[in-house]
Amino acid sequence: MRVFKHLALSAVTGLAALLFCAPSASAAAGAGRGPNPPGEEILQLVAKQTQGGLVDVDGSGGPSLGDEYVLSGNLFRGSTAVGTYSEICTLTRFVPTDQFDLQCASDLALSQGQITVQGRFTVTTAGPGNVDLAITGGTGRYRTAHGYVHAVSVTETETRLTVHLIL
């Protein structure tokens, strides 16, 4: 059961950072050419987890529906911190115990507002792999935000993010 918790926490941790950016983090802006929709901003970030924990809802020490993984950390563009993130992922399916689904809700706290992200993904013994989650809204500058975030785990506590932001 300990392996499950380590795998799950590693998966969420790697995914965790995954979701967000500030305008100053913009690496490129879509100009309506190619596959990018008009007005899309492509943001490249690295998310680094600083805190994380597991809430074992039934106390069994093993996976059970409703177990939660709670994470938070910082977002960087290069060596510059551009914001923070928080994420809560809930275990929604497991069969067998080396494969499970997580439903995650995340937010980015940035100087000009927040961006919210949500989605579900499957984790196997190979890890979460590449994950795409939906941008579901925001506040401030991001109040009309939509699009998606593509995340690639680099280490257990670091994730490379490509944010496809449409305002």
Side-chain angles (χ1 to χ4, degrees):
M1 295 305 167
R2 187 165 233 184
V3 171
F4 167 80
K5 286 186 179 181
H6 178 70
L7 174 63
L9 197 52
S10 294
V12 175
T13 297
L15 162 72
L18 69 152
L19 313 120
F20 328 96
C21 21
S24 62
S26 179
R33 298 183 301 266
N36 297 340
E40 180 180 40
E41 295 178 34
I42 308 287
L43 308 169
Q44 301 290 333
L45 299 174
V46 173
K48 296 182 180 182
Q49 179 187 333
T50 57
Q51 296 181 342
L54 169 68
V55 178
D56 184 2
V57 296
D58 70 357
S60 69
S64 58
L65 292 178
D67 284 356
E68 290 189 331
Y69 306 93
V70 182
L71 308 162
S72 61
N74 298 310
L75 299 168
F76 293 87
R77 178 173 178 237
S79 61
T80 304
V82 295
T84 61
Y85 74 90
S86 62
E87 182 171 47
I88 298 172
C89 294
T90 304
L91 182 82
T92 59
R93 182 187 69 88
F94 66 97
V95 178
T97 57
D98 62 347
Q99 180 178 331
F100 54 93
D101 288 350
L102 293 172
Q103 171 69 36
C104 297
S106 304
D107 71 85
L108 301 171
L110 307 168
S111 64
Q112 294 183 341
Q114 293 182 1
I115 298 172
T116 57
V117 178
Q118 184 173 349
R120 181 182 65 90
F121 62 96
T122 299
V123 178
T124 66
T125 54
N130 297 334
V131 176
D132 290 322
L133 298 175
I135 295 173
T136 57
T139 64
R141 175 178 187 266
Y142 309 105
R143 69 187 172 282
T144 61
H146 59 287
Y148 70 99
V149 175
H150 179 76
V152 177
S153 295
V154 177
T155 69
E156 286 187 18
T157 59
E158 191 171 299
T159 303
R160 196 171 38 241
L161 307 175
T162 302
V163 179
H164 297 262
L165 181 64
I166 302 168
L167 298 174

